[in-house]
Amino acid sequence: MSEVKRTIRITTEQHILKDVPPVENYPMRKWNIKISMLDSSGQEIPANILDKVTYTLHPTFTNPIRTTKSSPFLVEEQGWGEFDIPITVHILGLSGKAGERKFNHDLNFLSEKYVNDHVVTIPVSSTKNQALNKLLLESGSLPFDEGSANKRKLAESGNGTTTDVNNKFKKSKNTNGAAVKGSIDLEKLANGLTKLSEDDLIVIVQMVTDNRTNDMNIKNDVDNGEFTMDLYTLPESLLKSLWDYVKKHTGEA
């Protein structure tokens, strides 16, 4: 399972209600909080990856636990006191606690408007929760959907890997001089990976990440959208599955 990071923005606005008498010499204020998120360029966009937000207000408020299910997930009230507000945002398509991200928000009256940004980590899969994947693409890239540039990076890492295998594991060559592990010709496998379509490469990445062990030399650089792997460190059973997939989708033999 891969992960991505996204930034959730909490925006607070408040102002004094001049026509309302103060309480204990404190002016009454109207305040509101809303939730948005930032895209990869830092621009504010709707938090469409969320399906609900729950605010836990001070117990002196009527119905202090407020849940809203539509963007911008607004809560609005009036009062004179500052306090901390526990906020729980829920990510679309993730069940129960797995979808919850919690923040402790400081409601204060130092500025009429202020923002707080929180980075959250979200598990993603190329084969599950396609609705969430589509919405995540509105705010940045996914590790298995990087377009042609990252297709090329994965393909090149495959070629580079077999070169390393030839140099590092010379005793693992068969009588034809090919780098092998068990029954799998690693040179052919790496060459076949370069011929796959972008959609097929996404499947390959998911196959590897779903079967990852500590012995496998894999690097998933989410920030730069790069996925590299040392084929020789993959177990033979996984290599066989990869080779079967490559043969089926490229005609390699």
Side-chain angles (χ1 to χ4, degrees), residues 62 123 179 247:
T62 303
K247 286 193 297 181

Side-chain angles (χ1 to χ4, degrees), residues 9-251:
R9 170 162 288 182
I10 303 175
T11 300
T12 306
E13 295 182 275
Q14 61 87 21
H15 65 270
I16 293 175
L17 295 171
K18 296 180 180 180
D19 296 331
V20 178
V23 176
E24 299 180 8
N25 294 322
Y26 291 100
M28 288 292 290
R29 300 172 185 264
K30 186 172 184 178
W31 55 263
N32 69 73
I33 300 172
K34 61 183 179 180
I35 308 293
S36 59
M37 61 187 297
L38 304 183
D39 65 14
S40 57
S41 61
Q43 297 299 310
E44 189 170 343
I45 61 174
N48 293 332
I49 65 170
L50 306 179
D51 57 11
K52 66 178 178 179
V53 174
T54 299
Y55 302 89
T56 303
L57 306 184
H58 193 274
T60 54
F61 285 90
T62 303
N63 301 319
I65 299 178
R66 312 281 180 88
T67 298
T68 176
K69 297 183 178 181
S70 60
S71 182
F73 305 102
L74 179 72
V75 63
E76 191 169 42
E77 266 294 352
Q78 64 181 48
W80 55 269
E82 301 175 335
F83 57 96
D84 289 341
I85 303 178
I87 300 176
T88 301
V89 303
H90 193 275
I91 298 168
L92 177 75
L94 299 181
S95 59
K97 299 293 184 181
E100 292 183 353
R101 302 295 182 271
K102 298 184 177 184
F103 318 115
N104 201 39
H105 182 64
D106 174 25
L107 175 67
N108 66 72
F109 302 142
L110 298 176
S111 303
E112 288 198 348
K113 180 177 180 179
Y114 59 95
V115 300
N116 298 97
D117 293 339
H118 300 269
V119 176
V120 298
T121 300
I122 304 169
V124 292
S125 168
S126 64
T127 57
K128 300 177 182 178
N129 209 349
Q130 296 300 317
L132 176 60
N133 289 349
K134 183 178 180 180
L135 293 172
L136 284 168
L137 286 171
E138 296 176 0
S139 56
S141 61
L142 295 177
F144 43 76
D145 190 16
E146 294 295 333
S148 58
N150 289 324
K151 173 190 173 184
R152 183 175 66 253
K153 290 176 183 177
L154 177 59
E156 289 172 351
S157 72
N159 281 334
T161 297
T162 40
T163 300
D164 293 341
V165 169
N166 278 328
N167 292 333
K168 192 173 181 180
F169 299 100
K170 292 181 179 179
K171 293 182 180 180
S172 297
K173 291 183 178 181
N174 61 21
T175 56
N176 294 322
V180 297
K181 183 170 183 180
S183 60
I184 306 301
D185 187 319
L186 300 181
E187 286 186 2
K188 285 187 176 181
L189 174 56
N191 185 58
L193 289 172
T194 67
K195 299 178 181 180
L196 290 173
S197 68
E198 292 179 20
D199 289 341
D200 288 332
L201 284 174
I202 291 172
V203 175
I204 291 293
V205 170
Q206 197 62 44
M207 290 171 66
V208 174
T209 54
D210 286 349
N211 292 278
R212 185 170 188 170
T213 66
N214 292 333
D215 296 328
M216 294 161 60
N217 185 6
I218 296 171
K219 182 180 179 182
N220 189 6
D221 188 343
V222 175
D223 292 335
N224 294 315
E226 293 187 34
F227 183 91
T228 58
M229 57 185 174
D230 182 347
L231 293 177
Y232 196 84
T233 65
L234 273 58
E236 186 179 355
S237 59
L238 178 56
L239 289 170
K240 186 177 185 306
S241 297
L242 297 180
W243 178 236
D244 288 343
Y245 188 92
V246 167
K247 286 193 297 181
K248 180 178 179 181
H249 291 82
T250 65

